[in-house]
Amino acid sequence: MKFKANNPATVPTTPRQVTQMKYNRSRANLLLVLLFTVINLFSVTFGDTYFLFSATLPMLFPATMTEIAADTEMMAGLGLLPEDATVLIIVGLVIGVIMTVPYLLCWIFSKKRPGWMVAALVFFSIDCLLLVTMYDLTTVIIDLLIHGWVMFYLITGVKHGFKLKKMPEDEPLPTFGELVPEYDVTAKTETPAEINAPEETEAPAEDIATEEDSVTARSFDEIMAENQRTDL
């Protein structure tokens, strides 16, 4: 079963992330097999129905024990009393649950170890072989298609699991600190001498006018003195 991520932030962007997504998809299908198998253990025992997308071997035990408990002649032939029917049903159910434990372990430990995905593939391959040999193929055609679907994802899970193990880890994205303010490169840069030089202040307009008048007055007196010396 495929799971599509609607959040853009979860969309894989690197080859490792794509491979990891495909491997997680295979593990998700394995989890579905586990869940539906557990559900079928109780549905077969108490309701005589079952759902697809599950393993066949674990269901054989509760289904067989339930049939024996419902047949009084068979119970008598086995030397069992009618009161033992409940015990048979419980025993079959417990054995079926135990048969699903390997799938649970494979799903848990395959998160970091692809070898457990290989084990899940082996277990389900045995289940497929049992389905083909024990039942009429015309009556279990849909089960065969579902088993083929699961086998495809388990095989691809093994492939992508070992591929993921050989791939290098993605480098972490750089962390960005505070933004550095931009400076105007065209602005004039002051030299150290200009920085240390005393600031020049402009003289007031009145002082400038007084200095000009004094210069003019001194020049006139000097001219008059020179004229007197010349007349003498």
Side-chain angles (χ1 to χ4, degrees), residues 50-229:
Y50 77 98
F51 299 92
L52 299 175
F53 219 92
S54 65
T56 304
L57 182 59
M59 291 191 302
L60 290 178
F61 296 95
T64 302
M65 293 300 181
T66 302
E67 291 179 0
I68 295 175
D71 191 344
T72 55
E73 294 183 359
M74 186 177 296
M75 291 279 292
L78 295 174
L80 299 175
L81 299 175
E83 293 80 6
D84 297 330
T86 303
V87 177
L88 286 177
I89 293 175
I90 294 175
V91 170
L93 189 60
V94 170
I95 295 175
V97 172
I98 293 174
M99 294 296 295
T100 61
V101 172
Y103 291 101
L104 176 62
L105 297 177
C106 290
W107 178 76
I108 293 175
F109 295 107
S110 63
K111 183 176 182 179
K112 296 182 179 180
R113 299 175 182 177
W116 285 90
M117 187 63 73
V118 177
L121 177 61
V122 172
F123 289 137
F124 204 75
S125 298
I126 296 174
D127 198 87
C128 292
L129 181 62
L130 181 67
L131 183 65
V132 172
T133 55
M134 291 189 62
Y135 296 93
D136 185 4
L137 298 183
T138 58
T139 60
V140 293
I141 185 65
I142 299 179
D143 283 330
L144 288 175
L145 294 177
I146 297 299
H147 274 62
W149 175 285
V150 176
M151 285 291 294
F152 168 77
Y153 276 103
L154 292 179
I155 293 173
T156 56
V158 172
K159 173 184 175 182
H160 293 301
F162 284 101
K163 182 180 178 180
L164 189 66
K165 191 175 182 179
K166 297 179 181 179
M167 297 179 70
E169 295 288 341
D170 291 335
E171 296 182 359
L173 295 176
T175 57
F176 297 93
E178 296 182 357
L179 295 177
V180 179
E182 297 181 356
Y183 293 94
D184 187 5
V185 296
T186 61
K188 180 181 179 181
T189 304
E190 296 182 351
T191 61
E194 293 175 344
I195 296 174
N196 297 325
E199 296 182 356
E200 297 181 357
T201 57
E202 296 182 357
E206 295 180 356
D207 296 342
I208 296 174
T210 304
E211 291 177 0
E212 290 179 352
D213 292 340
S214 62
V215 171
T216 304
R218 286 195 299 272
S219 300
F220 181 77
D221 293 339
E222 290 175 358
I223 293 172
M224 292 298 295
E226 290 177 358
N227 292 335
Q228 289 178 0
R229 287 196 297 271

